[in-house]
Amino acid sequence: MKRYVALLRGINVGGNNKVEMKKLKVMFEDMGFGDVSTYINSGNVLFSAAEVVDVTSIETEIEKTFGFFVRTLVREKKDILKIVEAVPAAWENSAGQKTDVLFLWPGYDSKKSIELLKITDGVDELLYEAKSIIWHIDRKDYNKSGMNDFIGTELYKNMTARNINTVRKLASLLEA
């Protein structure tokens, strides 16, 4: 059995696309996945599976269960651990810093996707690891960031983001 995390995009934001985590957990269990748990309300489902996970079947079941389509990305435990190992320990999500992990959809899950981002030298710091881009910035420089124009771009529509604190917590839960 391998451990995975399903990352749901755009749920429970601003009162839209409401997904109850208890109901989501039961749905994953009913699909035959084991050791199912959820972490925070942003759509992180940890589970075990013996076979390759069919993301399309998860998306179909979410739509049947909740009445709307939710793009979903599944990552293996090893990918989450690689990301956590690659991010400098000093990078965090705090009052002084912002560090986000952009999990990329197939077709965008290569280092070349960094070229689709506008960045400001000396302000934005980017790393690529395990089909993800890690973006780090000091919050005091946020208004200088080239990433301010990111929302609505092609890459933005083909990723889901989590802050580094959430990703580190997911890694620890996958390890437990």
Side-chain angles (χ1 to χ4, degrees), residues 92-93 98-102 133-136 161-164:
E92 55 189 38
N93 205 57
K98 179 175 179 56
T99 305
D100 288 336
V101 179
L102 313 178
I133 296 171
I134 299 104
W135 171 49
H136 175 76
R162 302 295 186 273
N163 74 55
I164 191 60

Side-chain angles (χ1 to χ4, degrees), residues 159-173:
M159 64 93 218
T160 187
R162 302 295 186 273
N163 74 55
I164 191 60
N165 300 349
T166 297
V167 175
R168 286 176 174 145
K169 181 63 177 182
L170 290 172
S172 70
L173 292 170

Side-chain angles (χ1 to χ4, degrees), residues 6-9 11-12 18-31 33 36-47 58-59 61-63 65-66 68 70 72 162:
L7 304 163
L8 283 64
R9 186 180 197 276
I11 65 161
N12 300 331
K18 290 187 179 187
V19 172
E20 182 186 333
M21 292 299 104
K22 286 181 186 177
K23 193 173 180 181
L24 185 63
K25 178 182 184 291
V26 169
M27 185 205 86
F28 269 75
E29 290 169 341
D30 289 347
M31 290 183 73
F33 298 117
V36 180
S37 63
T38 61
Y39 176 67
I40 63 177
N41 218 23
S42 60
N44 307 293
V45 184
L46 301 106
F47 62 97
I58 293 172
E59 290 173 336
E61 198 60 33
I62 290 170
E63 189 168 14
T65 303
F66 296 98
F68 50 88
V70 176
T72 303
R162 302 295 186 273

